[in-house]
Amino acid sequence: MEDDDDVPALSAETFAALQEFYTEQQKRQEIFTKLEADDQLKENVLFDENWQLSQFWYDEATVQSLVSVIDKTVPDGGRVALISCPTLFVPVKRQIGERATVTLLEYDRRFEVHAPNFVFYDYNHPDKLPGDLPQSCDLVVADPPFLSEECITKTSQTIKLMAKDKIVVCTGAIMREKVEGLLDLKLCEFQPHHRNNLANEFSCYANFDLDGVLR
């Protein structure tokens, strides 16, 4: 008979962390199961912003503007990649999903409900991509999660790997020099806005006349 004293006991903190992990996992599965049963996997799933992941959702006007740009620039049979901007996925999929491929690259696994169009993405591993993604995207839209040189540099590596034509990056105005230098993008007149007003001014950059597309 085994001695209970030899069985390692979990600390209260470890046990709580495990409980939280399994609870979140169960929640994701419940959401997926319900959406699958209701045939609503194409519907917009609006999760709460996770500020620890630096998540700040776009307001509706910004979403509609970016969807319009994507619709007008991605050709039939083409592909658009959305990096770290999950609130764009469903509106874009609704708009062009019948004629083009829409792929979401995102760190937050809650958005796995959009599989198989979901690709787990960690900017710390910029070249860790499925084999069909490099040089496959007519348009890449990215919103790097953190306003840091490391984040924009590594996200830019991913963008370069994937893009074969047009690029749009939405990020803080303080990142202008890095964005323009790394990706040869130009500042646009169009400015993204968020549901919760941010202290940092946000800007949009592109390698084509995005403002002209919106006119």
Side-chain angles (χ1 to χ4, degrees), residues 83 121 126 129 135 137 140-144 152 154-164 166-169 183 185:
I83 302 178
Y121 174 69
L129 301 170
Q135 300 302 308
C137 300
V140 176
V141 181
D143 189 336
I152 188 60
K154 291 182 176 179
T155 302
S156 294
Q157 292 176 30
T158 303
I159 293 170
K160 289 177 180 179
L161 282 173
M162 298 173 61
K164 62 179 183 179
K166 295 179 172 62
I167 298 170
V168 174
V169 173
L183 294 167
L185 306 185

mmCIF file with all atom_site columns, all heavy atoms in Angstrom, residues 83 121 126 129 135 137 140-144 152 154-164 166-169 183 185:
data_model
loop_
_atom_site.group_PDB
_atom_site.id
_atom_site.type_symbol
_atom_site.label_atom_id
_atom_site.label_alt_id
_atom_site.label_comp_id
_atom_site.label_asym_id
_atom_site.label_entity_id
_atom_site.label_seq_id
_atom_site.pdbx_PDB_ins_code
_atom_site.Cartn_x
_atom_site.Cartn_y
_atom_site.Cartn_z
_atom_site.occupancy
_atom_site.B_iso_or_equiv
_atom_site.pdbx_formal_charge
_atom_site.auth_seq_id
_atom_site.auth_comp_id
_atom_site.auth_asym_id
_atom_site.auth_atom_id
_atom_site.pdbx_PDB_model_num
ATOM 1   N N   . ILE A 1 83  ? -3.312 40.076 -38.734 1.00 0.00 ? 83  ILE A N   1
ATOM 2   C CA  . ILE A 1 83  ? -2.386 39.758 -37.646 1.00 0.00 ? 83  ILE A CA  1
ATOM 3   C C   . ILE A 1 83  ? -2.729 40.587 -36.413 1.00 0.00 ? 83  ILE A C   1
ATOM 4   O O   . ILE A 1 83  ? -2.654 41.817 -36.438 1.00 0.00 ? 83  ILE A O   1
ATOM 5   C CB  . ILE A 1 83  ? -0.925 40.027 -38.058 1.00 0.00 ? 83  ILE A CB  1
ATOM 6   C CG1 . ILE A 1 83  ? -0.547 39.205 -39.297 1.00 0.00 ? 83  ILE A CG1 1
ATOM 7   C CG2 . ILE A 1 83  ? 0.020  39.704 -36.905 1.00 0.00 ? 83  ILE A CG2 1
ATOM 8   C CD1 . ILE A 1 83  ? 0.873  39.467 -39.785 1.00 0.00 ? 83  ILE A CD1 1
ATOM 9   N N   . TYR A 1 121 ? -0.594 32.630 -33.244 1.00 0.00 ? 121 TYR A N   1
ATOM 10  C CA  . TYR A 1 121 ? 0.556  33.455 -33.613 1.00 0.00 ? 121 TYR A CA  1
ATOM 11  C C   . TYR A 1 121 ? 1.166  34.111 -32.386 1.00 0.00 ? 121 TYR A C   1
ATOM 12  O O   . TYR A 1 121 ? 0.482  34.787 -31.618 1.00 0.00 ? 121 TYR A O   1
ATOM 13  C CB  . TYR A 1 121 ? 0.135  34.539 -34.608 1.00 0.00 ? 121 TYR A CB  1
ATOM 14  C CG  . TYR A 1 121 ? 1.247  35.518 -34.930 1.00 0.00 ? 121 TYR A CG  1
ATOM 15  C CD1 . TYR A 1 121 ? 2.355  35.116 -35.673 1.00 0.00 ? 121 TYR A CD1 1
ATOM 16  C CD2 . TYR A 1 121 ? 1.200  36.840 -34.478 1.00 0.00 ? 121 TYR A CD2 1
ATOM 17  C CE1 . TYR A 1 121 ? 3.385  36.002 -35.960 1.00 0.00 ? 121 TYR A CE1 1
ATOM 18  C CE2 . TYR A 1 121 ? 2.224  37.731 -34.769 1.00 0.00 ? 121 TYR A CE2 1
ATOM 19  C CZ  . TYR A 1 121 ? 3.314  37.308 -35.502 1.00 0.00 ? 121 TYR A CZ  1
ATOM 20  O OH  . TYR A 1 121 ? 4.334  38.178 -35.781 1.00 0.00 ? 121 TYR A OH  1
ATOM 21  N N   . PRO A 1 126 ? 8.465  34.861 -35.065 1.00 0.00 ? 126 PRO A N   1
ATOM 22  C CA  . PRO A 1 126 ? 7.891  35.490 -36.264 1.00 0.00 ? 126 PRO A CA  1
ATOM 23  C C   . PRO A 1 126 ? 7.842  34.614 -37.504 1.00 0.00 ? 126 PRO A C   1
ATOM 24  O O   . PRO A 1 126 ? 7.034  34.863 -38.403 1.00 0.00 ? 126 PRO A O   1
ATOM 25  C CB  . PRO A 1 126 ? 8.806  36.701 -36.493 1.00 0.00 ? 126 PRO A CB  1
ATOM 26  C CG  . PRO A 1 126 ? 10.082 36.370 -35.797 1.00 0.00 ? 126 PRO A CG  1
ATOM 27  C CD  . PRO A 1 126 ? 9.693  35.552 -34.615 1.00 0.00 ? 126 PRO A CD  1
ATOM 28  N N   . LEU A 1 129 ? 5.114  29.727 -39.028 1.00 0.00 ? 129 LEU A N   1
ATOM 29  C CA  . LEU A 1 129 ? 3.875  29.858 -39.790 1.00 0.00 ? 129 LEU A CA  1
ATOM 30  C C   . LEU A 1 129 ? 3.565  28.556 -40.516 1.00 0.00 ? 129 LEU A C   1
ATOM 31  O O   . LEU A 1 129 ? 4.478  27.798 -40.857 1.00 0.00 ? 129 LEU A O   1
ATOM 32  C CB  . LEU A 1 129 ? 4.006  30.976 -40.827 1.00 0.00 ? 129 LEU A CB  1
ATOM 33  C CG  . LEU A 1 129 ? 4.317  32.383 -40.316 1.00 0.00 ? 129 LEU A CG  1
ATOM 34  C CD1 . LEU A 1 129 ? 4.654  33.292 -41.492 1.00 0.00 ? 129 LEU A CD1 1
ATOM 35  C CD2 . LEU A 1 129 ? 3.136  32.936 -39.530 1.00 0.00 ? 129 LEU A CD2 1
ATOM 36  N N   . GLN A 1 135 ? 4.475  34.258 -48.504 1.00 0.00 ? 135 GLN A N   1
ATOM 37  C CA  . GLN A 1 135 ? 4.314  34.836 -49.846 1.00 0.00 ? 135 GLN A CA  1
ATOM 38  C C   . GLN A 1 135 ? 2.979  34.466 -50.485 1.00 0.00 ? 135 GLN A C   1
ATOM 39  O O   . GLN A 1 135 ? 2.889  34.293 -51.701 1.00 0.00 ? 135 GLN A O   1
ATOM 40  C CB  . GLN A 1 135 ? 5.467  34.387 -50.748 1.00 0.00 ? 135 GLN A CB  1
ATOM 41  C CG  . GLN A 1 135 ? 6.842  34.802 -50.259 1.00 0.00 ? 135 GLN A CG  1
ATOM 42  C CD  . GLN A 1 135 ? 6.969  36.319 -50.088 1.00 0.00 ? 135 GLN A CD  1
ATOM 43  O OE1 . GLN A 1 135 ? 6.671  37.070 -51.009 1.00 0.00 ? 135 GLN A OE1 1
ATOM 44  N NE2 . GLN A 1 135 ? 7.403  36.752 -48.917 1.00 0.00 ? 135 GLN A NE2 1
ATOM 45  N N   . CYS A 1 137 ? -0.123 36.153 -49.440 1.00 0.00 ? 137 CYS A N   1
ATOM 46  C CA  . CYS A 1 137 ? -1.175 37.106 -49.086 1.00 0.00 ? 137 CYS A CA  1
ATOM 47  C C   . CYS A 1 137 ? -1.148 38.350 -49.976 1.00 0.00 ? 137 CYS A C   1
ATOM 48  O O   . CYS A 1 137 ? -0.136 39.051 -50.059 1.00 0.00 ? 137 CYS A O   1
ATOM 49  C CB  . CYS A 1 137 ? -1.036 37.518 -47.626 1.00 0.00 ? 137 CYS A CB  1
ATOM 50  S SG  . CYS A 1 137 ? -1.165 36.115 -46.490 1.00 0.00 ? 137 CYS A SG  1
ATOM 51  N N   . VAL A 1 140 ? -1.868 42.111 -46.195 1.00 0.00 ? 140 VAL A N   1
ATOM 52  C CA  . VAL A 1 140 ? -1.651 41.792 -44.785 1.00 0.00 ? 140 VAL A CA  1
ATOM 53  C C   . VAL A 1 140 ? -2.028 43.021 -43.972 1.00 0.00 ? 140 VAL A C   1
ATOM 54  O O   . VAL A 1 140 ? -1.531 44.123 -44.226 1.00 0.00 ? 140 VAL A O   1
ATOM 55  C CB  . VAL A 1 140 ? -0.185 41.413 -44.493 1.00 0.00 ? 140 VAL A CB  1
ATOM 56  C CG1 . VAL A 1 140 ? 0.007  41.178 -42.990 1.00 0.00 ? 140 VAL A CG1 1
ATOM 57  C CG2 . VAL A 1 140 ? 0.217  40.166 -45.271 1.00 0.00 ? 140 VAL A CG2 1
ATOM 58  N N   . VAL A 1 141 ? -2.929 42.834 -43.017 1.00 0.00 ? 141 VAL A N   1
ATOM 59  C CA  . VAL A 1 141 ? -3.320 43.902 -42.097 1.00 0.00 ? 141 VAL A CA  1
ATOM 60  C C   . VAL A 1 141 ? -2.844 43.496 -40.707 1.00 0.00 ? 141 VAL A C   1
ATOM 61  O O   . VAL A 1 141 ? -3.178 42.407 -40.231 1.00 0.00 ? 141 VAL A O   1
ATOM 62  C CB  . VAL A 1 141 ? -4.848 44.112 -42.086 1.00 0.00 ? 141 VAL A CB  1
ATOM 63  C CG1 . VAL A 1 141 ? -5.216 45.251 -41.126 1.00 0.00 ? 141 VAL A CG1 1
ATOM 64  C CG2 . VAL A 1 141 ? -5.362 44.405 -43.487 1.00 0.00 ? 141 VAL A CG2 1
ATOM 65  N N   . ALA A 1 142 ? -2.056 44.351 -40.073 1.00 0.00 ? 142 ALA A N   1
ATOM 66  C CA  . ALA A 1 142 ? -1.481 44.003 -38.771 1.00 0.00 ? 142 ALA A CA  1
ATOM 67  C C   . ALA A 1 142 ? -1.669 45.131 -37.766 1.00 0.00 ? 142 ALA A C   1
ATOM 68  O O   . ALA A 1 142 ? -1.638 46.310 -38.123 1.00 0.00 ? 142 ALA A O   1
ATOM 69  C CB  . ALA A 1 142 ? 0.009  43.688 -38.915 1.00 0.00 ? 142 ALA A CB  1
ATOM 70  N N   . ASP A 1 143 ? -1.863 44.724 -36.524 1.00 0.00 ? 143 ASP A N   1
ATOM 71  C CA  . ASP A 1 143 ? -1.949 45.664 -35.409 1.00 0.00 ? 143 ASP A CA  1
ATOM 72  C C   . ASP A 1 143 ? -1.122 45.072 -34.272 1.00 0.00 ? 143 ASP A C   1
ATOM 73  O O   . ASP A 1 143 ? -1.662 44.407 -33.385 1.00 0.00 ? 143 ASP A O   1
ATOM 74  C CB  . ASP A 1 143 ? -3.408 45.856 -34.979 1.00 0.00 ? 143 ASP A CB  1
ATOM 75  C CG  . ASP A 1 143 ? -3.584 46.981 -33.971 1.00 0.00 ? 143 ASP A CG  1
ATOM 76  O OD1 . ASP A 1 143 ? -2.606 47.301 -33.260 1.00 0.00 ? 143 ASP A OD1 1
ATOM 77  O OD2 . ASP A 1 143 ? -4.692 47.528 -33.885 1.00 0.00 ? 143 ASP A OD2 1
ATOM 78  N N   . PRO A 1 144 ? 0.198  45.279 -34.300 1.00 0.00 ? 144 PRO A N   1
ATOM 79  C CA  . PRO A 1 144 ? 1.067  44.672 -33.284 1.00 0.00 ? 144 PRO A CA  1
ATOM 80  C C   . PRO A 1 144 ? 0.575  44.991 -31.878 1.00 0.00 ? 144 PRO A C   1
ATOM 81  O O   . PRO A 1 144 ? 0.211  46.140 -31.590 1.00 0.00 ? 144 PRO A O   1
ATOM 82  C CB  . PRO A 1 144 ? 2.430  45.319 -33.559 1.00 0.00 ? 144 PRO A CB  1
ATOM 83  C CG  . PRO A 1 144 ? 2.369  45.704 -35.014 1.00 0.00 ? 144 PRO A CG  1
ATOM 84  C CD  . PRO A 1 144 ? 0.952  46.116 -35.249 1.00 0.00 ? 144 PRO A CD  1
ATOM 85  N N   . ILE A 1 152 ? 7.300  45.418 -32.897 1.00 0.00 ? 152 ILE A N   1
ATOM 86  C CA  . ILE A 1 152 ? 7.111  45.852 -34.286 1.00 0.00 ? 152 ILE A CA  1
ATOM 87  C C   . ILE A 1 152 ? 8.168  45.222 -35.193 1.00 0.00 ? 152 ILE A C   1
ATOM 88  O O   . ILE A 1 152 ? 7.887  44.879 -36.348 1.00 0.00 ? 152 ILE A O   1
ATOM 89  C CB  . ILE A 1 152 ? 7.136  47.395 -34.404 1.00 0.00 ? 152 ILE A CB  1
ATOM 90  C CG1 . ILE A 1 152 ? 6.744  47.816 -35.834 1.00 0.00 ? 152 ILE A CG1 1
ATOM 91  C CG2 . ILE A 1 152 ? 8.483  47.962 -34.036 1.00 0.00 ? 152 ILE A CG2 1
ATOM 92  C CD1 . ILE A 1 152 ? 5.375  47.375 -36.277 1.00 0.00 ? 152 ILE A CD1 1
ATOM 93  N N   . LYS A 1 154 ? 9.659  42.212 -34.848 1.00 0.00 ? 154 LYS A N   1
ATOM 94  C CA  . LYS A 1 154 ? 9.356  40.799 -35.087 1.00 0.00 ? 154 LYS A CA  1
ATOM 95  C C   . LYS A 1 154 ? 8.067  40.633 -35.892 1.00 0.00 ? 154 LYS A C   1
ATOM 96  O O   . LYS A 1 154 ? 7.982  39.753 -36.762 1.00 0.00 ? 154 LYS A O   1
ATOM 97  C CB  . LYS A 1 154 ? 9.282  40.049 -33.759 1.00 0.00 ? 154 LYS A CB  1
ATOM 98  C CG  . LYS A 1 154 ? 10.643 39.931 -33.084 1.00 0.00 ? 154 LYS A CG  1
ATOM 99  C CD  . LYS A 1 154 ? 10.581 39.134 -31.794 1.00 0.00 ? 154 LYS A CD  1
ATOM 100 C CE  . LYS A 1 154 ? 11.974 38.954 -31.205 1.00 0.00 ? 154 LYS A CE  1
ATOM 101 N NZ  . LYS A 1 154 ? 11.952 38.195 -29.932 1.00 0.00 ? 154 LYS A NZ  1
ATOM 102 N N   . THR A 1 155 ? 7.080  41.474 -35.618 1.00 0.00 ? 155 THR A N   1
ATOM 103 C CA  . THR A 1 155 ? 5.847  41.407 -36.414 1.00 0.00 ? 155 THR A CA  1
ATOM 104 C C   . THR A 1 155 ? 6.140  41.764 -37.866 1.00 0.00 ? 155 THR A C   1
ATOM 105 O O   . THR A 1 155 ? 5.568  41.176 -38.792 1.00 0.00 ? 155 THR A O   1
ATOM 106 C CB  . THR A 1 155 ? 4.778  42.351 -35.836 1.00 0.00 ? 155 THR A CB  1
ATOM 107 O OG1 . THR A 1 155 ? 4.514  42.011 -34.470 1.00 0.00 ? 155 THR A OG1 1
ATOM 108 C CG2 . THR A 1 155 ? 3.476  42.242 -36.630 1.00 0.00 ? 155 THR A CG2 1
ATOM 109 N N   . SER A 1 156 ? 7.041  42.706 -38.072 1.00 0.00 ? 156 SER A N   1
ATOM 110 C CA  . SER A 1 156 ? 7.423  43.090 -39.434 1.00 0.00 ? 156 SER A CA  1
ATOM 111 C C   . SER A 1 156 ? 8.073  41.924 -40.175 1.00 0.00 ? 156 SER A C   1
ATOM 112 O O   . SER A 1 156 ? 7.879  41.758 -41.388 1.00 0.00 ? 156 SER A O   1
ATOM 113 C CB  . SER A 1 156 ? 8.378  44.283 -39.407 1.00 0.00 ? 156 SER A CB  1
ATOM 114 O OG  . SER A 1 156 ? 7.730  45.438 -38.908 1.00 0.00 ? 156 SER A OG  1
ATOM 115 N N   . GLN A 1 157 ? 8.827  41.112 -39.460 1.00 0.00 ? 157 GLN A N   1
ATOM 116 C CA  . GLN A 1 157 ? 9.424  39.924 -40.082 1.00 0.00 ? 157 GLN A CA  1
ATOM 117 C C   . GLN A 1 157 ? 8.336  38.992 -40.600 1.00 0.00 ? 157 GLN A C   1
ATOM 118 O O   . GLN A 1 157 ? 8.433  38.453 -41.709 1.00 0.00 ? 157 GLN A O   1
ATOM 119 C CB  . GLN A 1 157 ? 10.307 39.192 -39.070 1.00 0.00 ? 157 GLN A CB  1
ATOM 120 C CG  . GLN A 1 157 ? 11.564 39.945 -38.670 1.00 0.00 ? 157 GLN A CG  1
ATOM 121 C CD  . GLN A 1 157 ? 12.349 39.210 -37.588 1.00 0.00 ? 157 GLN A CD  1
ATOM 122 O OE1 . GLN A 1 157 ? 12.323 37.986 -37.498 1.00 0.00 ? 157 GLN A OE1 1
ATOM 123 N NE2 . GLN A 1 157 ? 13.036 39.958 -36.746 1.00 0.00 ? 157 GLN A NE2 1
ATOM 124 N N   . THR A 1 158 ? 7.292  38.820 -39.795 1.00 0.00 ? 158 THR A N   1
ATOM 125 C CA  . THR A 1 158 ? 6.171  37.973 -40.211 1.00 0.00 ? 158 THR A CA  1
ATOM 126 C C   . THR A 1 158 ? 5.469  38.561 -41.426 1.00 0.00 ? 158 THR A C   1
ATOM 127 O O   . THR A 1 158 ? 5.143  37.851 -42.384 1.00 0.00 ? 158 THR A O   1
ATOM 128 C CB  . THR A 1 158 ? 5.162  37.817 -39.057 1.00 0.00 ? 158 THR A CB  1
ATOM 129 O OG1 . THR A 1 158 ? 5.825  37.277 -37.913 1.00 0.00 ? 158 THR A OG1 1
ATOM 130 C CG2 . THR A 1 158 ? 4.024  36.893 -39.457 1.00 0.00 ? 158 THR A CG2 1
ATOM 131 N N   . ILE A 1 159 ? 5.237  39.866 -41.386 1.00 0.00 ? 159 ILE A N   1
ATOM 132 C CA  . ILE A 1 159 ? 4.559  40.533 -42.504 1.00 0.00 ? 159 ILE A CA  1
ATOM 133 C C   . ILE A 1 159 ? 5.344  40.332 -43.799 1.00 0.00 ? 159 ILE A C   1
ATOM 134 O O   . ILE A 1 159 ? 4.773  40.005 -44.847 1.00 0.00 ? 159 ILE A O   1
ATOM 135 C CB  . ILE A 1 159 ? 4.388  42.037 -42.205 1.00 0.00 ? 159 ILE A CB  1
ATOM 136 C CG1 . ILE A 1 159 ? 3.407  42.238 -41.046 1.00 0.00 ? 159 ILE A CG1 1
ATOM 137 C CG2 . ILE A 1 159 ? 3.900  42.781 -43.445 1.00 0.00 ? 159 ILE A CG2 1
ATOM 138 C CD1 . ILE A 1 159 ? 3.348  43.667 -40.530 1.00 0.00 ? 159 ILE A CD1 1
ATOM 139 N N   . LYS A 1 160 ? 6.650  40.511 -43.734 1.00 0.00 ? 160 LYS A N   1
ATOM 140 C CA  . LYS A 1 160 ? 7.488  40.351 -44.926 1.00 0.00 ? 160 LYS A CA  1
ATOM 141 C C   . LYS A 1 160 ? 7.439  38.922 -45.459 1.00 0.00 ? 160 LYS A C   1
ATOM 142 O O   . LYS A 1 160 ? 7.494  38.700 -46.674 1.00 0.00 ? 160 LYS A O   1
ATOM 143 C CB  . LYS A 1 160 ? 8.930  40.739 -44.605 1.00 0.00 ? 160 LYS A CB  1
ATOM 144 C CG  . LYS A 1 160 ? 9.146  42.227 -44.397 1.00 0.00 ? 160 LYS A CG  1
ATOM 145 C CD  . LYS A 1 160 ? 10.600 42.502 -44.022 1.00 0.00 ? 160 LYS A CD  1
ATOM 146 C CE  . LYS A 1 160 ? 10.857 43.978 -43.802 1.00 0.00 ? 160 LYS A CE  1
ATOM 147 N NZ  . LYS A 1 160 ? 12.265 44.246 -43.403 1.00 0.00 ? 160 LYS A NZ  1
ATOM 148 N N   . LEU A 1 161 ? 7.345  37.960 -44.555 1.00 0.00 ? 161 LEU A N   1
ATOM 149 C CA  . LEU A 1 161 ? 7.274  36.563 -44.977 1.00 0.00 ? 161 LEU A CA  1
ATOM 150 C C   . LEU A 1 161 ? 5.974  36.263 -45.717 1.00 0.00 ? 161 LEU A C   1
ATOM 151 O O   . LEU A 1 161 ? 5.948  35.455 -46.646 1.00 0.00 ? 161 LEU A O   1
ATOM 152 C CB  . LEU A 1 161 ? 7.375  35.634 -43.757 1.00 0.00 ? 161 LEU A CB  1
ATOM 153 C CG  . LEU A 1 161 ? 8.763  35.403 -43.166 1.00 0.00 ? 161 LEU A CG  1
ATOM 154 C CD1 . LEU A 1 161 ? 8.651  34.608 -41.872 1.00 0.00 ? 161 LEU A CD1 1
ATOM 155 C CD2 . LEU A 1 161 ? 9.642  34.651 -44.162 1.00 0.00 ? 161 LEU A CD2 1
ATOM 156 N N   . MET A 1 162 ? 4.893  36.931 -45.313 1.00 0.00 ? 162 MET A N   1
ATOM 157 C CA  . MET A 1 162 ? 3.572  36.594 -45.832 1.00 0.00 ? 162 MET A CA  1
ATOM 158 C C   . MET A 1 162 ? 3.139  37.438 -47.018 1.00 0.00 ? 162 MET A C   1
ATOM 159 O O   . MET A 1 162 ? 2.431  36.962 -47.904 1.00 0.00 ? 162 MET A O   1
ATOM 160 C CB  . MET A 1 162 ? 2.535  36.732 -44.707 1.00 0.00 ? 162 MET A CB  1
ATOM 161 C CG  . MET A 1 162 ? 2.765  35.792 -43.549 1.00 0.00 ? 162 MET A CG  1
ATOM 162 S SD  . MET A 1 162 ? 1.658  36.136 -42.173 1.00 0.00 ? 162 MET A SD  1
ATOM 163 C CE  . MET A 1 162 ? 0.085  35.859 -42.928 1.00 0.00 ? 162 MET A CE  1
ATOM 164 N N   . ALA A 1 163 ? 3.524  38.708 -47.023 1.00 0.00 ? 163 ALA A N   1
ATOM 165 C CA  . ALA A 1 163 ? 2.984  39.648 -48.011 1.00 0.00 ? 163 ALA A CA  1
ATOM 166 C C   . ALA A 1 163 ? 3.618  39.477 -49.380 1.00 0.00 ? 163 ALA A C   1
ATOM 167 O O   . ALA A 1 163 ? 4.835  39.378 -49.506 1.00 0.00 ? 163 ALA A O   1
ATOM 168 C CB  . ALA A 1 163 ? 3.182  41.075 -47.520 1.00 0.00 ? 163 ALA A CB  1
ATOM 169 N N   . LYS A 1 164 ? 2.758  39.461 -50.393 1.00 0.00 ? 164 LYS A N   1
ATOM 170 C CA  . LYS A 1 164 ? 3.268  39.496 -51.761 1.00 0.00 ? 164 LYS A CA  1
ATOM 171 C C   . LYS A 1 164 ? 2.850  40.780 -52.473 1.00 0.00 ? 164 LYS A C   1
ATOM 172 O O   . LYS A 1 164 ? 3.210  41.001 -53.618 1.00 0.00 ? 164 LYS A O   1
ATOM 173 C CB  . LYS A 1 164 ? 2.794  38.279 -52.549 1.00 0.00 ? 164 LYS A CB  1
ATOM 174 C CG  . LYS A 1 164 ? 1.297  38.149 -52.734 1.00 0.00 ? 164 LYS A CG  1
ATOM 175 C CD  . LYS A 1 164 ? 0.973  36.909 -53.568 1.00 0.00 ? 164 LYS A CD  1
ATOM 176 C CE  . LYS A 1 164 ? -0.514 36.785 -53.842 1.00 0.00 ? 164 LYS A CE  1
ATOM 177 N NZ  . LYS A 1 164 ? -0.829 35.590 -54.672 1.00 0.00 ? 164 LYS A NZ  1
ATOM 178 N N   . LYS A 1 166 ? 0.195  44.132 -50.891 1.00 0.00 ? 166 LYS A N   1
ATOM 179 C CA  . LYS A 1 166 ? -0.175 45.281 -50.064 1.00 0.00 ? 166 LYS A CA  1
ATOM 180 C C   . LYS A 1 166 ? -0.063 44.986 -48.567 1.00 0.00 ? 166 LYS A C   1
ATOM 181 O O   . LYS A 1 166 ? -0.292 43.863 -48.119 1.00 0.00 ? 166 LYS A O   1
ATOM 182 C CB  . LYS A 1 166 ? -1.592 45.737 -50.415 1.00 0.00 ? 166 LYS A CB  1
ATOM 183 C CG  . LYS A 1 166 ? -1.725 46.269 -51.842 1.00 0.00 ? 166 LYS A CG  1
ATOM 184 C CD  . LYS A 1 166 ? -3.149 46.690 -52.135 1.00 0.00 ? 166 LYS A CD  1
ATOM 185 C CE  . LYS A 1 166 ? -3.245 47.403 -53.481 1.00 0.00 ? 166 LYS A CE  1
ATOM 186 N NZ  . LYS A 1 166 ? -2.851 46.533 -54.607 1.00 0.00 ? 166 LYS A NZ  1
ATOM 187 N N   . ILE A 1 167 ? 0.273  46.066 -47.820 1.00 0.00 ? 167 ILE A N   1
ATOM 188 C CA  . ILE A 1 167 ? 0.438  45.967 -46.365 1.00 0.00 ? 167 ILE A CA  1
ATOM 189 C C   . ILE A 1 167 ? -0.241 47.155 -45.696 1.00 0.00 ? 167 ILE A C   1
ATOM 190 O O   . ILE A 1 167 ? -0.118 48.291 -46.159 1.00 0.00 ? 167 ILE A O   1
ATOM 191 C CB  . ILE A 1 167 ? 1.936  45.961 -45.977 1.00 0.00 ? 167 ILE A CB  1
ATOM 192 C CG1 . ILE A 1 167 ? 2.651  44.750 -46.576 1.00 0.00 ? 167 ILE A CG1 1
ATOM 193 C CG2 . ILE A 1 167 ? 2.106  45.984 -44.457 1.00 0.00 ? 167 ILE A CG2 1
ATOM 194 C CD1 . ILE A 1 167 ? 4.168  44.818 -46.432 1.00 0.00 ? 167 ILE A CD1 1
ATOM 195 N N   . VAL A 1 168 ? -0.941 46.882 -44.604 1.00 0.00 ? 168 VAL A N   1
ATOM 196 C CA  . VAL A 1 168 ? -1.520 47.924 -43.747 1.00 0.00 ? 168 VAL A CA  1
ATOM 197 C C   . VAL A 1 168 ? -1.119 47.611 -42.313 1.00 0.00 ? 168 VAL A C   1
ATOM 198 O O   . VAL A 1 168 ? -1.269 46.479 -41.854 1.00 0.00 ? 168 VAL A O   1
ATOM 199 C CB  . VAL A 1 168 ? -3.064 47.962 -43.844 1.00 0.00 ? 168 VAL A CB  1
ATOM 200 C CG1 . VAL A 1 168 ? -3.639 48.962 -42.838 1.00 0.00 ? 168 VAL A CG1 1
ATOM 201 C CG2 . VAL A 1 168 ? -3.514 48.309 -45.258 1.00 0.00 ? 168 VAL A CG2 1
ATOM 202 N N   . VAL A 1 169 ? -0.598 48.615 -41.615 1.00 0.00 ? 169 VAL A N   1
ATOM 203 C CA  . VAL A 1 169 ? -0.249 48.450 -40.202 1.00 0.00 ? 169 VAL A CA  1
ATOM 204 C C   . VAL A 1 169 ? -0.911 49.562 -39.397 1.00 0.00 ? 169 VAL A C   1
ATOM 205 O O   . VAL A 1 169 ? -0.766 50.743 -39.727 1.00 0.00 ? 169 VAL A O   1
ATOM 206 C CB  . VAL A 1 169 ? 1.277  48.483 -39.976 1.00 0.00 ? 169 VAL A CB  1
ATOM 207 C CG1 . VAL A 1 169 ? 1.598  48.494 -38.483 1.00 0.00 ? 169 VAL A CG1 1
ATOM 208 C CG2 . VAL A 1 169 ? 1.941  47.281 -40.642 1.00 0.00 ? 169 VAL A CG2 1
ATOM 209 N N   . LEU A 1 183 ? 9.272  48.572 -42.967 1.00 0.00 ? 183 LEU A N   1
ATOM 210 C CA  . LEU A 1 183 ? 8.370  48.050 -43.992 1.00 0.00 ? 183 LEU A CA  1
ATOM 211 C C   . LEU A 1 183 ? 8.179  48.987 -45.179 1.00 0.00 ? 183 LEU A C   1
ATOM 212 O O   . LEU A 1 183 ? 7.436  48.664 -46.104 1.00 0.00 ? 183 LEU A O   1
ATOM 213 C CB  . LEU A 1 183 ? 6.999  47.747 -43.363 1.00 0.00 ? 183 LEU A CB  1
ATOM 214 C CG  . LEU A 1 183 ? 6.994  46.618 -42.322 1.00 0.00 ? 183 LEU A CG  1
ATOM 215 C CD1 . LEU A 1 183 ? 5.687  46.626 -41.539 1.00 0.00 ? 183 LEU A CD1 1
ATOM 216 C CD2 . LEU A 1 183 ? 7.204  45.266 -42.993 1.00 0.00 ? 183 LEU A CD2 1
ATOM 217 N N   . LEU A 1 185 ? 6.558  51.796 -45.328 1.00 0.00 ? 185 LEU A N   1
ATOM 218 C CA  . LEU A 1 185 ? 5.161  52.225 -45.382 1.00 0.00 ? 185 LEU A CA  1
ATOM 219 C C   . LEU A 1 185 ? 5.076  53.733 -45.200 1.00 0.00 ? 185 LEU A C   1
ATOM 220 O O   . LEU A 1 185 ? 5.992  54.360 -44.675 1.00 0.00 ? 185 LEU A O   1
ATOM 221 C CB  . LEU A 1 185 ? 4.340  51.528 -44.291 1.00 0.00 ? 185 LEU A CB  1
ATOM 222 C CG  . LEU A 1 185 ? 4.396  50.002 -44.238 1.00 0.00 ? 185 LEU A CG  1
ATOM 223 C CD1 . LEU A 1 185 ? 3.439  49.481 -43.173 1.00 0.00 ? 185 LEU A CD1 1
ATOM 224 C CD2 . LEU A 1 185 ? 4.079  49.386 -45.591 1.00 0.00 ? 185 LEU A CD2 1
#
